[in-house]
């Protein structure tokens, strides 16, 4: 793959948002580098770069909660990926379906569109 259209940060990483292909629920945000993108394309399983462990990790490798890739999109600036996935089990390491299960209250109530 030619990565010329993608803009990686100073650490050689690009943010990747995983979204359920069927429900459109946002599941998680992780980081990818060229090697993890190539692995993802080759295997069909979401493979990310772990910043804390400094190595590749296949989502679900230890938990069994794999993400099967159905499509990969990138935004207009080329600096963010969107992975449309079929999620097996929970996406979050806490056991939650999604990593986005906590909410910050908005002052002024819900009239802001929520």
């Amino acid at each position: 793959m030619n990565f010329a259209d993608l803009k990686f940060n100073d650490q050689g990483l690009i943010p990747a948002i995983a979204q359920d292909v069927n429900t459109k629920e946002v599941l998680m945000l992780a980081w990818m580098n060229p090697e993890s993108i190539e692995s993802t394309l080759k295997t069909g399983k979401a493979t990310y770069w772990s910043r804390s462990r400094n190595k590749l990790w296949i989502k679900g490798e230890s938990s069994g909660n794999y993400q099967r890739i159905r499509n990969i999109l990138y935004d207009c600036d080329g600096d963010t990926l969107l992975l449309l996935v079929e999620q097996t089990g929970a996406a979050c390491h806490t056991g939650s379906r999604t990593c986005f299960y906590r909410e910050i209250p908005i002052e002024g109530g819900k009239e802001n569109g929520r």
Side-chain angles (χ1 to χ4, degrees), residues 1 6 16 32 36-37 40-41 69-74 80-85:
M1 173 183 179
L6 299 181
M32 298 181 92
S36 67
I37 295 169
T40 296
L41 294 172
I69 299 297
R70 291 296 166 240
N71 202 0
I72 301 176
L73 306 170
Y74 58 96
T80 305
L81 300 177
L82 177 63
L83 282 60
L84 300 177
V85 304

Side-chain angles (χ1 to χ4, degrees), residues 39-98:
S39 177
T40 296
L41 294 172
K42 182 179 177 183
T43 66
K45 294 179 182 175
T47 304
Y48 301 107
W49 178 256
S50 172
R51 295 176 299 161
S52 61
R53 292 175 285 179
N54 205 34
K55 68 175 194 169
L56 291 178
W57 61 280
I58 298 169
K59 177 66 179 155
E61 191 170 42
S62 60
S63 67
N65 295 332
Y66 290 98
Q67 292 176 341
R68 283 257 170 232
I69 299 297
R70 291 296 166 240
N71 202 0
I72 301 176
L73 306 170
Y74 58 96
D75 72 341
C76 56
D77 294 323
D79 62 3
T80 305
L81 300 177
L82 177 63
L83 282 60
L84 300 177
V85 304
E86 288 181 3
Q87 177 69 49
T88 301
C92 186
H93 72 280
T94 66
S96 179
R97 166 107 177 121
T98 172

